[in-house]
Amino acid sequence: MGPSLSDFAWAAGLLALLLPAVGATGGGPLRNFLYQERAECFFSNGTGPDAQLRYLNRLIYDRQEIAHFDSALGRYVALASMVKSNVDRWNQDPGMLQNNMANMDGLCHNNYGIMKPFTLSRKIPPKMKITPTHSGASSSSRNTMLICTVGPFFPAKITVRWFRNGKEEKGDMVMTSGLIDNGDWTYRVQVMLETQPEKGDVYVCQAEHDSSPSPASIEWRPQSDSAKNKMWTGIVGLVLGVVFVAAGLSVYVKKGCAVPPATVGLMD
């Protein structure tokens, strides 16, 4: 939709208003300045297409926004005193207000249907894992840092909590990396819990995200020293067994299979 005569009229009026502000003193040349308009469409969850859309037409002089048209209000709003009289005049012009609302319909409504599958309708549920590490000065410290890695997920809004035996852990013992942008329209976050696990404790990392009506969670339980020893003993035994089998198979292949010589008998 091209600009109307009223568009040129208010643009010329605004330019005439701004020129004295940038005029030279003592007959010198005019300095450079920048005037621009920026149209923006905002999409949000709501009921009905109009409730989900908001159109802003921002008027910017240099780096300062001096006024804008807001479709939620249906009128212009002055943000700088120098354009207050102009804004009052624009708001008395039904044609200008109607043109802006028409821009909202042509720009925002059309793009809403195109972008919705990739924005509001796009849901990627978070993946989760817990990594325990020692957080003290030495590996013998009883302090353990539990790192809950959540991601990738989309949209960006997420709430991650730590629970110990059903009670939420809060305060200085809980730290977060903050939201990390993966650069592919997905995000991740790490939430750490510094704690001293006891035998029988159950730790749960829980994530609340729009991709699911119920929170996602993952569980971690501390292992006793005897359980760790048994686990490592089993791993070492498995590795040794594989080594011996491989060695025996290698010797067998090198020697080959012994075949007894054939015996030929003569019948009387």
Side-chain angles (χ1 to χ4, degrees):
M1 180 182 295
S4 64
L5 292 177
S6 59
D7 293 330
F8 287 116
W10 70 258
L14 180 62
L15 186 61
L17 176 68
L18 295 177
L19 282 176
V22 298
T25 58
L30 294 176
R31 68 177 179 87
N32 294 330
F33 70 96
L34 175 66
Y35 167 73
Q36 59 181 320
E37 292 185 40
R38 180 175 176 177
E40 299 178 355
C41 296
F42 293 87
F43 307 99
S44 61
N45 289 319
T47 57
D50 291 333
Q52 295 174 326
L53 300 177
R54 183 187 180 197
Y55 170 72
L56 282 182
N57 185 24
R58 302 182 187 273
L59 312 181
I60 302 169
Y61 169 61
D62 279 349
R63 288 178 293 179
Q64 179 185 357
E65 183 178 350
I66 56 177
H68 64 236
F69 176 85
D70 188 347
S71 66
L73 302 175
R75 60 183 176 84
Y76 283 91
V77 177
L79 302 176
S81 57
M82 64 171 136
V83 294
K84 179 69 169 58
S85 59
N86 293 61
V87 167
D88 290 340
R89 185 171 66 256
W90 299 338
N91 285 332
Q92 299 300 318
D93 186 341
M96 288 190 63
L97 302 181
Q98 290 174 4
N99 284 343
N100 276 279
M101 295 304 293
N103 289 339
M104 172 189 171
D105 185 65
L107 177 64
C108 298
H109 277 101
N110 288 340
N111 287 322
Y112 176 79
I114 298 172
M115 297 300 297
K116 184 178 179 180
F118 307 101
T119 54
L120 296 178
S121 299
R122 187 168 181 260
K123 308 289 183 184
I124 298 179
K127 296 181 179 179
M128 307 177 68
K129 72 174 181 178
I130 295 176
T131 306
T133 61
H134 289 288
S135 62
S138 65
S139 59
S140 61
S141 172
R142 294 184 64 246
N143 286 351
T144 297
M145 181 72 74
L146 298 179
I147 304 174
C148 182
T149 303
V150 184
F153 57 85
F154 187 88
K157 184 179 179 181
I158 196 169
T159 302
V160 181
R161 295 186 174 94
W162 269 109
F163 293 87
R164 179 181 184 181
N165 300 326
K167 182 179 180 181
E168 184 176 357
E169 296 284 88
K170 299 180 180 180
D172 296 337
M173 307 302 287
V174 179
M175 296 153 282
T176 179
S177 65
L179 191 67
I180 302 172
D181 190 340
N182 293 326
D184 59 356
W185 278 43
T186 65
Y187 302 88
R188 70 184 187 276
V189 66
Q190 287 186 326
V191 181
M192 289 74 72
L193 172 64
E194 188 174 13
T195 184
Q196 293 186 349
E198 302 289 345
K199 183 179 179 181
D201 283 345
V202 179
Y203 291 85
V204 174
C205 179
Q206 176 180 287
E208 299 174 17
H209 190 252
D210 288 342
S211 60
S212 175
S214 58
S217 63
I218 187 172
E219 185 180 287
W220 182 85
R221 298 172 184 262
Q223 289 184 322
S224 63
D225 292 337
S226 60
K228 291 179 182 178
N229 292 336
K230 290 180 181 179
M231 180 185 68
W232 282 112
T233 300
I235 293 174
V236 172
L238 177 63
V239 172
L240 290 176
V242 172
V243 170
F244 284 128
V245 170
L249 183 61
S250 175
V251 172
Y252 177 78
V253 171
K254 286 181 179 179
K255 289 185 176 182
C257 298
V259 180
T263 302
V264 179
L266 297 176
M267 296 183 65
D268 295 335

